[in-house]
């Protein structure tokens, strides 16, 4: 076969492949080309195309591609215009909403506060910026109930860091601060057990304080059957404080509120937390003690859309609380200016040490024994007096 015929076969194969690709991409140009090929008298009878046909097909392919690029550019331009209009509408709506909201200066004037003293409200971006960590640790000698309570507290605090039990008994504050520094913690909860029956809870901010020491009583853990509530592990709690922690309350309760908020308040965006609020942690003051409860928030679900609409118009769906646990009572003992040490800022005058309570109980039992012995002695004395007062019978020895 001569070389010229090889070249013509290669050209014919290339033109056929190009023609098939054009038919798949665009039907109209391929049909138009077919018509032109039929009308062209220079086309050979064996179905081979000339060089002019190949060039025309390449030109038509370039036109098709250019038309597709123009259509894509038009679509992008339309999308950009719609986005800009939506952004302008959103900005106008946000401007109108912001204009309707009262500013911080207006609120300050309403409350009678100097506007220069009010700090601007922080803006949240949704990222994990507030990197808080809480150290939870205990000493040796804790009982099973105290150990379960510590595990429950670690469950409630997703941003916690734990460590092994402390063997140190002399300088506990220094040891806790060193562990908190190693773990990069800025708050700490420390359980101290004495005589395997008295447990004290320390809570504070590290390394500069302040810190508070509580006597922990009336402990009930999550494992008890009567606490039937449940919540998502790692969910962020709503912290509820009664009026004693408010502006009109005592100063030491305000300090305790800030410490408890730092310890139990889960930071926003923490990797181990969940973006839900399905529980509320409550702190109440009664009998100069802080009663801590943890509840699950249960919202009533509507059976259909009509009922949901009706409930929403009236007062909303019914909400109830079910206790999850743990529950315990905190009796404040002393507030320190430093981290588990330092100057005493407050000391509870109504606090009675459990050692004193047990001593009084033992003394009460000793008094009961002492009174019983004194009563026996009085009985013996009275019996002797009665026997001494009896006169001797003169006829006692007559009938011997």
């Amino acid at each position: 076969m001569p070389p010229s015929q090889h070249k013509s076969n290669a050209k014919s194969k290339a033109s056929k492949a190009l023609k098939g690709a054009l038919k798949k991409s665009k039907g109209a140009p391929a049909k138009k080309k077919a018509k032109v090929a039929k009308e062209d008298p220079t086309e050979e009878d064996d179905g081979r195309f000339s060089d002019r046909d190949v060039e025309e097909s390449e030109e038509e392919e370039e036109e098709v591609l250019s038309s597709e690029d123009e259509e894509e550019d038009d679509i992008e331009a339309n999308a950009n215009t719609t986005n800009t209009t939506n952004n302008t509408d959103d900005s106008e709506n946000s401007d109108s909403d912001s204009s309707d909201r009262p500013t911080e200066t207006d609120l300050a004037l309403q409350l009678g506060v100097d506007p220069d003293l009010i700090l601007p409200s922080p803006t949240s971006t949704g990222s994990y910026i507030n990197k808080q960590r809480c150290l939870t640790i205990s000493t040796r000698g804790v009982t099973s109930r105290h150990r379960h309570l510590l595990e429950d507290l670690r469950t409630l605090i997703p941003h916690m860091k734990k460590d092994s039990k402390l063997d140190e008994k002399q300088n506990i504050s220094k040891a806790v601060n060193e562990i908190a520094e190693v773990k990069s913690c800025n708050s700490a909860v420390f359980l101290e057990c004495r005589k395997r029956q008295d447990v004290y809870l320390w809570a504070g901010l590290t390394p500069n304080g302040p810190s508070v020491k509580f006597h922990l009583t009336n402990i009930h853990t999550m494992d008890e059957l009567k606490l039937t509530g449940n919540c998502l592990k790692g969910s962020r709690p709503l912290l509820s404080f009664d009026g004693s922690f408010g502006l009109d309350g005592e100063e030491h309760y305000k300090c305790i509120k800030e410490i408890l908020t730092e310890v139990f308040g889960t930071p926003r965006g923490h990797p181990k937390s969940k973006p839900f609020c399905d529980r509320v942690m409550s702190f109440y003051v009664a009998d100069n003690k802080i009663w801590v409860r943890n509840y699950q928030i249960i919202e009533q679900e509507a059976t259909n859309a009509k009922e949901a609409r009706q409930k929403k118009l009236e007062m909303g769906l019914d909400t109830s609380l079910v206790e999850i646990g743990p529950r315990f009572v905190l009796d404040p003992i002393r507030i320190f200016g430093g981290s588990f040490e330092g100057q005493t800022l407050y000391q509870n005058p109504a606090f009675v040490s459990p050692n004193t309570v047990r001593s009084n109980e033992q003394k009460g039992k000793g008094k009961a024994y002492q009174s019983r012995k004194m009563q026996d002695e009085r009985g013996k004395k009275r019996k002797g007096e009665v026997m001494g007062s009896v006169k001797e019978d003169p006829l006692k020895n007559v009938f011997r």
Side-chain angles (χ1 to χ4, degrees):
M1 185 180 291
S4 61
Q5 193 171 356
H6 281 290
K7 291 181 180 179
S8 62
N9 289 336
K11 289 181 180 180
S12 64
K13 290 181 181 179
S15 61
K16 286 181 181 180
L18 186 58
K19 185 177 178 182
L22 287 173
K23 283 183 179 181
K24 290 181 180 179
S25 61
K26 291 288 183 178
K31 291 180 182 179
K32 183 177 178 182
K33 181 182 173 185
K35 290 181 181 178
V36 172
K38 286 181 181 179
E39 294 175 358
D40 190 2
T42 60
E43 187 178 358
E44 297 180 2
D45 295 334
D46 57 355
R48 289 179 293 179
F49 292 90
S50 61
D51 296 338
R52 184 170 57 83
D53 296 332
V54 176
E55 293 175 357
E56 289 178 358
S57 62
E58 292 177 354
E59 291 176 358
E60 289 178 359
E61 183 182 4
E62 293 177 356
E63 291 178 359
V64 170
L65 294 176
S66 62
S67 63
E68 290 179 355
D69 294 338
E70 291 176 358
E71 290 177 358
E72 291 178 358
D73 295 338
D74 295 338
I75 293 171
E76 290 179 358
N78 294 330
N80 292 330
T81 54
T82 54
N83 290 332
T84 52
T85 53
N86 292 332
N87 292 332
T88 54
D89 294 338
D90 294 339
S91 61
E92 291 175 358
N93 294 330
S94 61
D95 294 339
S96 61
D97 294 340
S98 61
S99 62
D100 295 337
R101 298 172 188 166
T103 60
E104 295 175 352
T105 306
D106 298 337
L107 294 175
L109 294 176
Q110 290 178 4
L111 297 174
V113 182
D114 188 3
D116 297 333
L117 300 178
I118 297 179
L119 297 175
S121 58
T123 57
S124 177
T125 59
S127 58
Y128 179 45
I129 299 176
N130 186 19
K131 297 186 178 181
Q132 304 286 332
R133 297 179 183 88
C134 180
L135 177 67
T136 55
I137 197 172
S138 66
T139 57
R140 295 284 179 186
V142 293
T143 61
S144 59
R145 180 173 290 272
H146 302 154
R147 186 173 65 252
H148 291 165
L149 174 65
L150 185 62
E151 291 298 325
D152 292 345
L153 293 178
R154 288 171 176 172
T155 304
L156 297 179
I157 306 173
H159 57 287
M160 66 85 191
K161 294 287 184 180
K162 62 181 180 179
D163 199 77
S164 59
K165 297 177 182 178
L166 281 181
D167 293 328
E168 185 73 26
K169 293 184 178 180
Q170 299 297 327
N171 197 355
I172 295 178
S173 61
K174 183 179 179 181
V176 173
N177 288 325
E178 288 178 356
I179 296 173
E181 184 179 1
V182 171
K183 298 284 186 179
S184 301
C185 299
N186 51 8
S187 60
V189 174
F190 172 61
L191 281 183
E192 181 184 4
C193 188
R194 297 179 182 176
K195 299 181 180 180
R196 295 188 65 84
Q197 54 185 348
D198 301 331
V199 60
Y200 299 91
L201 187 143
W202 296 71
L205 308 181
T206 56
N208 299 322
S211 58
V212 59
K213 181 181 181 181
F214 300 101
H215 180 223
L216 198 60
T217 57
N218 298 342
I219 300 172
H220 298 276
T221 61
M222 289 185 185
D223 297 333
E224 298 184 12
L225 296 177
K226 58 185 177 182
L227 303 178
T228 59
N230 193 7
C231 67
L232 186 65
K233 185 177 181 181
S235 61
R236 301 179 66 202
L238 299 174
L239 301 181
S240 174
F241 297 89
D242 69 349
S244 301
F245 295 94
L247 297 176
D248 299 332
E250 299 180 12
E251 295 298 328
H252 65 280
Y253 283 131
K254 297 178 184 178
C255 181
I256 292 173
K257 176 184 176 181
E258 295 299 326
I259 295 174
L260 294 177
T261 302
E262 289 291 332
V263 170
F264 292 102
T266 304
R268 185 175 185 269
H270 192 274
K272 293 185 180 179
S273 66
K274 304 296 187 300
F276 302 103
C277 295
D278 58 350
R279 64 185 180 93
V280 55
M281 201 163 185
S282 304
F283 302 90
Y284 307 101
V285 176
D287 194 19
N288 294 326
K289 299 178 182 179
I290 301 173
W291 303 69
V292 183
R293 297 291 183 269
N294 185 30
Y295 297 100
Q296 176 191 4
I297 302 174
I298 298 179
E299 294 184 355
Q300 180 185 4
E301 295 182 359
T303 56
N304 50 35
K306 183 178 180 181
E307 183 180 355
R309 177 66 177 173
Q310 185 178 0
K311 290 285 186 180
K312 186 177 180 181
L313 292 175
E314 292 176 356
M315 63 181 72
L317 297 176
D318 297 333
T319 303
S320 59
L321 299 177
V322 179
E323 188 171 358
I324 304 172
R327 61 161 70 168
F328 49 88
V329 178
L330 300 175
D331 191 2
I333 301 175
R334 188 174 294 186
I335 298 177
F336 299 94
S339 177
F340 305 101
E341 60 183 359
Q343 182 182 2
T344 299
L345 303 181
Y346 168 78
Q347 186 174 2
N348 187 7
F351 174 72
V352 180
S353 172
N355 292 328
T356 305
V357 174
R358 286 191 295 270
S359 176
N360 293 334
E361 290 178 356
Q362 295 296 330
K363 287 180 180 179
K365 294 179 181 178
K367 288 181 180 179
Y369 175 78
Q370 186 178 2
S371 64
R372 189 169 63 251
K373 289 296 182 182
M374 291 176 65
Q375 186 177 1
D376 293 341
E377 291 179 359
R378 287 195 298 267
K380 290 179 181 180
K381 185 178 181 181
R382 187 169 58 253
K383 185 178 179 180
E385 291 176 355
V386 171
M387 293 299 291
S389 63
V390 176
K391 295 181 180 181
E392 186 177 356
D393 188 7
L395 301 177
K396 180 179 179 181
N397 297 324
V398 172
F399 299 101
R400 283 188 176 181

